[in-house]
Amino acid sequence: MTTTAITATTATTTATATARATPRVGPVPVLWLALLATPLAAGANASVLILPDMARSLGVSAGAATWLVASYAWAMAVGTPLLAGLLRRRGLRAALHLAGALLVSGTLLVAASPWLPLTLAGRATQAAGGAGLAAVAMSLAGTARRMGVISAGFGILGASGPLLGAQLSQAVSWRLSLSVSVIAILAVPVVSRYAATPVTPAAAPQDGFDARGAALLTALATALVLLHHVPAAALGSSVLAATLLALHVRRRPDGFVPAALIRQPLFLGSALLALVLSGSYFTLLFSVPRLLTDRAGWDATTAGTGQLVALLSGSALSWLLAAASARMGRTAVRTVLVGVGALAAAVAVFASWGPLLLVATLGGIFAATGSSAVLSMHAASSAPEPQRPTAIGLFALCYQLGGAFGPAIATALVLSAGAGAA
């Protein structure tokens, strides 16, 4: 080979390496953001139909195995604001890489653990990592239309999660079913190339990390998630944690939970509405299958298939609302979300015809995923640029708390009554 050829080859190799190392300019393609965020939803619901298999394998009762679901929900709830706080302070790459490391290490624990406590730790670590990746994706979405793709993906994969988990468990192992969220790691290198440099000292808080604020918020979220499991202790703990957090925010208004943010009517209204619509949807999700059996006489297979179709349809339709939200205006969007959510709840209360109950499910997920897409952008816009990751993290926490309250409401209103009748 000639010297000229060697030089040309070296130059080409150097240019290729430089191109790979140089961050790309422009928004991250939304499908990569969806891949980064949405496997979390499939991982959350993959265990729904395989709890008995997991219990037998781990040598525990079915009731004990349900903690694998609770631990995932808890870590999703507390992991989102914590990783969003890291995103605010250290930038996208630090949050992206830590979240990816948590997801992979948690998946390895789940794959290898022979004991329930270690498996619980793995599930919680998985969920925290997935929540961090979702927080990064939401921060990079930028518009309600792009956020709608992510939210619709959440709904679709969340709806498909139980069936996907059951199929993987039957074909290979329940451990593979609990590992589906790890495919999000495929998007990390691509998204990392688009990530901006870490926040500058001018944009970051100057008085150190607010560990007490983070701990109190984590304690409050933990207590609220556990309300369904240990109501009395969780209620007292949540009141205490909320009181201490409020006092801390007064002492440190620029800390982990910024006082100016939670006093913003736009942020507070968006977050609380998302919590209500999310809670309503998850109540319907757990109630409608029993209502289809009790009121319409459907068997479990027919009810499950019909609900899956309704969930997939409602998730896809929510993207249309997100895409049109910029032209509709905030008031019109909120009117649609509240109207559809209220109508879905009313139909579920009074309807006895099976297809109408499925319409209630469709309306519930449409309102919930639509609120996640559109109201998250409203919440983010209420905060100054440095606090937008925090706004998204706290908004997502409210939305996920709705997912914790929904099953409890369904149990109180429908499931326990059905069990008593049986």
Side-chain angles (χ1 to χ4, degrees), residues 48-49 159 162 280-311 348 351-354 356-362 406-407 410-411 414-415 418:
V48 169
L49 299 179
S280 176
Y281 158 59
F282 281 99
T283 302
L284 292 171
L285 181 67
F286 283 83
S287 299
V288 166
R290 174 61 63 87
L291 296 177
L292 286 169
T293 300
D294 293 346
R295 296 180 186 176
W298 290 18
D299 58 45
T301 301
T302 304
T305 303
Q307 187 173 41
L308 177 61
V309 172
L311 292 173
S352 58
W353 187 43
L356 266 183
L357 290 170
L358 293 181
V359 169
T361 301
L362 187 153
T411 299
V414 177
L415 303 183

Side-chain angles (χ1 to χ4, degrees), residues 171-272:
V172 183
S173 167
W174 63 266
R175 296 181 187 273
L176 180 61
S177 301
L178 299 190
S179 301
V180 293
S181 61
V182 80
I183 64 173
I185 205 69
L186 297 174
V188 169
V190 177
V191 176
S192 182
R193 292 172 65 187
Y194 285 87
T197 56
V199 290
T200 63
Q206 298 297 305
D207 50 356
F209 177 66
D210 181 13
R212 181 176 296 180
L216 288 172
L217 181 65
T218 300
L220 175 59
T222 301
L224 292 173
V225 168
L226 293 177
L227 273 174
H228 175 48
H229 302 277
V230 282
L235 181 60
S237 299
S238 62
V239 171
L240 176 61
T243 302
L244 293 176
L245 180 60
L247 293 173
H248 178 74
V249 170
R250 291 186 64 183
R251 286 194 301 266
R252 188 164 177 181
D254 295 323
F256 191 82
V257 181
L261 177 62
I262 60 176
R263 290 170 184 160
Q264 278 281 348
L266 179 58
F267 171 81
L268 202 58
S270 299
L272 292 179

